[in-house]
Amino acid sequence: MPKLIITADDCGLSEANNRYALDLHERGYLTAASVLANFPAYRHALELFRGCQELDVGLHLNLTDGLPVTQFGPAHSHLLRGDRHFRDKFSLYLRGLFFNKDAIHWIRSELDLQMRRCLDFGIAPQHITTHHHFHTLPILREIVHELAAVYRVRWVRGHDFRAMLTPSAFLLRRQRSASRYNFSMPDYLAGVQGWMKHAPSEFARRVAQLDGTIEIVVHPAPAATDDDFPSHIDYGPAPRYAEAQFLVRAIDHLRELGIYPATA
């Protein structure tokens, strides 16, 4: 029988999103919240989540949206535009094949500062995920895993695309663990976003067939509009609201099958 971790990605984009993530958790539809530490609403998220003992709070490390936490030093052209905003995910994946030592040093420092923002609120991060899944790049994955070991997180999101449950994934294999580190990785990853053209019952059925730990990832929003949502984020409130509604129906189907979210 599968063990479910259900993670809200992108907490910290807006206060409304943060409150809704907590609401979903309190209603039994979320077990983890992954916070973007480089957006203004991250403070609200960490304040909100700090008193919730059963919510698994971690960092959604980011190199592809918004401004870096690092305020000074050179604006590395591999990573930042002229206005110091991060380049997009396509640029990161392309340029990530050619990072020099200075860029790697800057990335390690930037991600470490993002991790420290959680500690500043008295929260020991329990997990690490990455925005746009950038730790599929081996050179960046090594940094993420090193930080996970330093900060003693309990788990890190899997990186192997072959362990991702998609509608067309019929030859799945378990995520191989990072045995040299003292953290775990879920066996499988199932993103709600990729299932939106299918029925929640079909998603639930496919999840129920797996054996091991499955991380279900959702980008929730409480409504189709949000005046405080960052305007430059391409994936806006409307599809996020649809994801949340899909998740609720899918988890209800899983409960009917006797499968419940894990507790922290």
Side-chain angles (χ1 to χ4, degrees), residues 174-188:
R174 288 174 182 263
Q175 170 67 55
R176 295 176 180 175
S177 64
S179 57
R180 67 191 178 105
Y181 295 115
N182 293 323
F183 57 79
S184 65
M185 288 187 284
D187 297 305
Y188 302 98

Side-chain angles (χ1 to χ4, degrees), residues 10-250:
D10 296 354
C11 295
L13 283 179
S14 78
E15 293 188 6
N17 274 31
N18 297 338
R19 287 189 291 268
Y20 188 54
L22 183 59
D23 175 66
L24 286 172
H25 169 68
E26 291 175 340
R27 291 161 51 201
Y29 293 105
L30 280 182
T31 66
S34 210
V35 179
L36 285 164
N38 69 316
F39 281 83
Y42 90 90
R43 296 179 179 85
H44 176 266
L46 294 175
E47 285 282 8
L48 194 65
F49 301 154
R50 181 164 54 182
C52 191
Q53 298 298 317
E54 295 184 353
L55 181 63
D56 182 333
V57 180
L59 270 295
H60 195 50
L61 296 179
N62 183 11
L63 293 172
T64 53
D65 260 323
L67 289 162
V69 174
T70 305
Q71 297 180 3
F72 305 104
H76 285 280
S77 59
H78 282 304
L79 298 155
L80 304 177
R81 306 193 309 249
D83 61 1
R84 293 193 67 89
H85 282 74
F86 283 121
R87 294 184 181 275
D88 62 28
K89 60 184 177 182
F90 303 107
S91 179
L92 180 73
Y93 274 87
L94 177 61
R95 293 166 185 265
L97 302 173
F98 308 102
F99 283 149
N100 58 32
K101 290 183 179 180
D102 286 344
I104 292 298
H105 176 77
W106 188 93
I107 289 169
R108 185 177 284 108
S109 176
E110 167 66 19
L111 297 181
D112 183 69
L113 287 173
Q114 291 182 24
M115 293 293 297
R116 289 178 180 275
R117 285 196 160 182
C118 201
L119 294 177
D120 289 344
F121 280 78
I123 299 173
Q126 297 298 299
H127 69 261
I128 292 176
T129 64
T130 65
H131 194 47
H132 296 136
H133 216 59
F134 70 70
H135 70 300
T136 55
L137 289 171
I139 196 167
L140 299 184
R141 180 165 64 250
E142 186 67 22
I143 295 172
V144 169
H145 285 183
E146 288 173 1
L147 289 172
V150 168
Y151 287 93
R152 299 181 179 179
V153 305
R154 292 193 296 114
W155 61 275
V156 175
R157 178 168 294 163
H159 55 271
D160 190 343
F161 285 114
R162 290 165 291 187
M164 295 182 184
L165 179 64
T166 64
S168 60
F170 297 104
L171 296 174
L172 284 176
R173 78 173 195 186
R174 288 174 182 263
Q175 170 67 55
R176 295 176 180 175
S177 64
S179 57
R180 67 191 178 105
Y181 295 115
N182 293 323
F183 57 79
S184 65
M185 288 187 284
D187 297 305
Y188 302 98
L189 180 66
V192 168
Q193 186 177 0
W195 283 85
M196 294 302 295
K197 294 182 179 179
H198 298 261
S201 58
E202 173 63 13
F203 175 74
R205 183 185 69 80
R206 293 283 299 277
V207 169
Q209 292 174 345
L210 298 175
D211 183 27
T213 302
I214 300 97
E215 186 194 3
I216 297 175
V217 179
V218 64
H219 305 85
T225 59
D226 179 355
D227 291 340
D228 294 325
F229 192 87
S231 59
H232 68 277
I233 300 294
D234 293 335
Y235 195 60
R240 291 168 185 264
Y241 175 69
E243 272 198 50
Q245 303 311 300
F246 183 104
L247 174 75
V248 168
R249 293 193 294 271

